[in-house]
Protein backbone atom coordinates (compact mmCIF):
# COMPACT_ATOMS: atom_id res chain seq x y z
CA UNK A 1 0.00 0.00 0.00
CA UNK A 2 1.33 3.43 -0.92
CA UNK A 3 1.45 6.13 1.72
CA UNK A 4 3.19 8.80 -0.34
CA UNK A 5 0.33 11.21 0.25
CA UNK A 6 1.45 11.54 3.87
CA UNK A 7 4.58 13.35 2.66
CA UNK A 8 2.57 16.49 1.94
CA UNK A 9 1.20 17.88 5.21
CA UNK A 10 -0.69 21.15 4.99
CA UNK A 11 1.34 23.67 7.02
CA UNK A 12 -1.69 25.97 7.31
CA UNK A 13 -3.91 23.47 9.06
CA UNK A 14 -4.41 24.28 12.72
CA UNK A 15 -6.53 21.32 13.79
CA UNK A 16 -9.87 19.85 12.95
CA UNK A 17 -12.08 21.20 10.21
CA UNK A 18 -15.79 20.51 10.17
CA UNK A 19 -17.52 20.73 6.81
CA UNK A 20 -21.01 19.97 5.69
CA UNK A 21 -21.92 18.53 9.06
CA UNK A 22 -21.20 14.97 7.95
CA UNK A 23 -17.45 14.67 7.97
CA UNK A 24 -14.44 15.57 10.03
CA UNK A 25 -11.05 16.20 8.46
CA UNK A 26 -8.05 15.37 10.62
CA UNK A 27 -4.48 15.92 9.46
CA UNK A 28 -2.64 12.60 9.21
CA UNK A 29 0.12 13.79 11.54
CA UNK A 30 -2.42 14.57 14.29
CA UNK A 31 -4.09 11.18 13.98
CA UNK A 32 -0.71 9.47 14.40
CA UNK A 33 0.24 11.64 17.38
CA UNK A 34 -3.05 11.02 19.12
CA UNK A 35 -2.58 7.27 18.71
CA UNK A 36 -5.99 6.97 17.13
CA UNK A 37 -7.07 3.56 15.97
CA UNK A 38 -7.25 3.19 12.19
CA UNK A 39 -10.67 4.17 10.90
CA UNK A 40 -12.67 2.63 8.11
CA UNK A 41 -11.98 4.20 4.76
CA UNK A 42 -14.45 7.02 4.24
CA UNK A 43 -14.89 9.22 1.22
CA UNK A 44 -16.97 12.35 1.61
CA UNK A 45 -19.78 13.44 -0.68
CA UNK A 46 -18.33 14.71 -3.92
CA UNK A 47 -15.45 12.21 -4.03
CA UNK A 48 -14.93 11.27 -7.70
CA UNK A 49 -16.31 7.82 -8.48
CA UNK A 50 -13.33 7.14 -10.78
CA UNK A 51 -10.86 7.49 -7.89
CA UNK A 52 -10.39 4.63 -5.45
CA UNK A 53 -10.76 5.48 -1.75
CA UNK A 54 -7.59 6.75 -0.05
CA UNK A 55 -5.50 3.92 1.31
CA UNK A 56 -6.85 1.37 -1.17
CA UNK A 57 -4.20 -0.35 -3.29
CA UNK A 58 -3.32 1.82 -6.29
CA UNK A 59 -5.60 4.64 -5.15
CA UNK A 60 -2.94 7.22 -6.08
CA UNK A 61 -2.71 5.79 -9.61
CA UNK A 62 -6.47 6.18 -10.00
CA UNK A 63 -6.21 9.72 -8.61
CA UNK A 64 -3.42 10.66 -11.04
CA UNK A 65 -5.35 9.22 -13.97
CA UNK A 66 -8.51 11.09 -13.01
CA UNK A 67 -6.68 14.35 -12.31
CA UNK A 68 -4.98 14.12 -15.72
CA UNK A 69 -8.44 13.78 -17.26
CA UNK A 70 -9.41 17.11 -15.67
CA UNK A 71 -6.40 18.93 -17.17
CA UNK A 72 -5.35 19.83 -20.70
CA UNK A 73 -4.17 16.73 -22.59
CA UNK A 74 -0.69 18.24 -22.95
CA UNK A 75 -0.13 17.86 -19.18
CA UNK A 76 0.41 14.13 -19.82
CA UNK A 77 3.72 14.99 -21.48
CA UNK A 78 5.26 16.14 -18.17
CA UNK A 79 6.52 13.24 -16.03
CA UNK A 80 6.95 15.53 -13.02
CA UNK A 81 3.17 15.74 -12.71
CA UNK A 82 2.86 11.94 -12.47
CA UNK A 83 5.73 11.72 -9.98
CA UNK A 84 4.28 14.45 -7.74
CA UNK A 85 0.49 14.03 -7.61
CA UNK A 86 0.06 16.91 -5.15
CA UNK A 87 1.50 19.25 -7.80
CA UNK A 88 -0.83 17.76 -10.41
CA UNK A 89 -3.80 18.23 -8.07
CA UNK A 90 -2.90 21.90 -7.50
CA UNK A 91 -2.54 22.49 -11.26
CA UNK A 92 -5.83 20.67 -11.92
CA UNK A 93 -7.59 22.84 -9.32
CA UNK A 94 -6.27 26.00 -10.96
CA UNK A 95 -7.24 24.77 -14.42
CA UNK A 96 -10.79 23.87 -13.37
CA UNK A 97 -11.14 27.20 -11.60
CA UNK A 98 -10.10 28.92 -14.83
CA UNK A 99 -12.72 26.95 -16.74
CA UNK A 100 -15.38 28.05 -14.26
CA UNK A 101 -14.37 31.70 -14.69
CA UNK A 102 -14.34 31.29 -18.46
CA UNK A 103 -17.79 29.69 -18.59
CA UNK A 104 -19.21 32.49 -16.43
CA UNK A 105 -17.63 35.07 -18.71
CA UNK A 106 -19.03 33.30 -21.79
CA UNK A 107 -22.50 33.31 -20.27
CA UNK A 108 -22.26 37.00 -19.38
CA UNK A 109 -21.11 38.05 -22.85
CA UNK A 110 -23.06 35.66 -25.10
CA UNK A 111 -26.10 37.84 -25.75
CA UNK A 112 -24.28 41.12 -26.40
CA UNK A 113 -21.58 39.54 -28.57
CA UNK A 114 -23.74 37.04 -30.50
CA UNK A 115 -27.22 38.58 -30.46
CA UNK A 116 -27.02 39.94 -33.99
CA UNK A 117 -25.55 36.72 -35.42
CA UNK A 118 -27.87 33.99 -34.12
CA UNK A 119 -31.54 33.69 -33.23
CA UNK A 120 -32.79 34.30 -29.71
CA UNK A 121 -33.72 30.62 -29.32
CA UNK A 122 -30.13 29.60 -30.15
CA UNK A 123 -28.82 31.97 -27.48
CA UNK A 124 -31.23 30.45 -24.97
CA UNK A 125 -30.00 26.94 -25.81
CA UNK A 126 -26.38 28.07 -25.64
CA UNK A 127 -26.96 29.72 -22.26
CA UNK A 128 -28.56 26.54 -20.96
CA UNK A 129 -25.61 24.49 -22.21
CA UNK A 130 -23.00 26.75 -20.60
CA UNK A 131 -24.97 26.80 -17.33
CA UNK A 132 -25.02 23.00 -17.30
CA UNK A 133 -21.29 22.94 -17.98
CA UNK A 134 -20.72 25.46 -15.20
CA UNK A 135 -22.60 23.26 -12.74
CA UNK A 136 -20.55 20.23 -13.81
CA UNK A 137 -17.34 22.21 -13.35
CA UNK A 138 -18.34 23.23 -9.83
CA UNK A 139 -18.78 19.53 -8.98
CA UNK A 140 -15.38 18.76 -10.53
CA UNK A 141 -13.80 21.59 -8.52
CA UNK A 142 -15.08 20.03 -5.28
CA UNK A 143 -13.83 16.59 -6.30
CA UNK A 144 -10.39 17.93 -7.20
CA UNK A 145 -10.26 19.78 -3.88
CA UNK A 146 -11.06 16.58 -1.96
CA UNK A 147 -8.38 14.58 -3.79
CA UNK A 148 -5.86 17.38 -3.23
CA UNK A 149 -6.62 17.46 0.48
CA UNK A 150 -5.94 13.72 0.80
CA UNK A 151 -2.71 14.10 -1.19
CA UNK A 152 -1.71 16.80 1.30
CA UNK A 153 -2.16 14.32 4.16
CA UNK A 154 -5.68 14.85 5.40
CA UNK A 155 -7.82 11.90 6.38
CA UNK A 156 -11.59 12.01 6.13
CA UNK A 157 -13.43 10.34 8.99
CA UNK A 158 -17.15 9.73 9.31
CA UNK A 159 -18.49 12.03 12.00
CA UNK A 160 -19.99 10.12 14.89
Amino acid sequence: MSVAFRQYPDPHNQGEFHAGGSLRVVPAREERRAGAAPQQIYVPPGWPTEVLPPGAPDWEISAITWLMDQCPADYRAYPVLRRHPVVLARFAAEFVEGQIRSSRQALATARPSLGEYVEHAVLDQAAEAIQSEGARLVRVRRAVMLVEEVLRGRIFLRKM
Side-chain angles (χ1 to χ4, degrees):
M1 176 171 75
S2 175
V3 291
F5 67 94
R6 293 187 188 272
Q7 296 175 9
Y8 306 104
D10 183 359
H12 305 292
N13 190 27
Q14 299 298 316
E16 294 183 3
F17 168 72
H18 299 277
S22 65
L23 69 108
R24 193 177 98 213
V25 179
V26 179
R29 62 185 180 276
E30 283 187 22
E31 183 184 40
R32 282 194 306 268
R33 246 184 287 161
Q39 301 287 324
Q40 283 187 317
I41 294 175
Y42 171 72
V43 292
W47 185 263
T49 56
E50 301 86 351
V51 178
L52 296 170
D58 296 329
W59 92 267
E60 284 182 347
I61 293 169
S62 69
I64 290 167
T65 301
W66 181 80
L67 287 166
M68 283 289 187
D69 289 344
Q70 309 316 309
C71 295
D74 292 341
Y75 279 27
R76 294 181 188 281
Y78 301 99
V80 67
L81 298 178
R82 286 194 180 280
R83 285 193 310 267
H84 300 280
V86 72
V87 174
L88 173 60
R90 177 78 322 247
F91 287 6
E94 294 295 336
F95 181 73
V96 171
E97 192 62 40
Q99 288 181 300
I100 291 170
R101 282 192 304 271
S102 179
S103 67
R104 288 177 180 162
Q105 180 69 20
L107 183 61
T109 61
R111 290 191 192 285
S113 66
L114 296 171
E116 63 186 78
Y117 300 102
V118 295
E119 297 174 8
H120 186 71
V122 172
L123 286 173
D124 288 343
Q125 291 172 354
E128 189 176 309
I130 202 72
Q131 286 173 330
S132 294
E133 179 62 9
R136 184 192 71 79
L137 289 168
V138 167
R139 290 188 302 273
V140 169
R141 175 177 57 188
R142 169 151 172 82
V144 169
M145 178 210 62
L146 293 170
V147 171
E148 182 180 15
E149 285 184 13
V150 171
L151 289 168
R152 288 179 179 260
R154 292 195 174 137
I155 298 170
F156 293 97
L157 303 173
R158 189 175 305 276
K159 198 172 181 179
M160 299 290 170

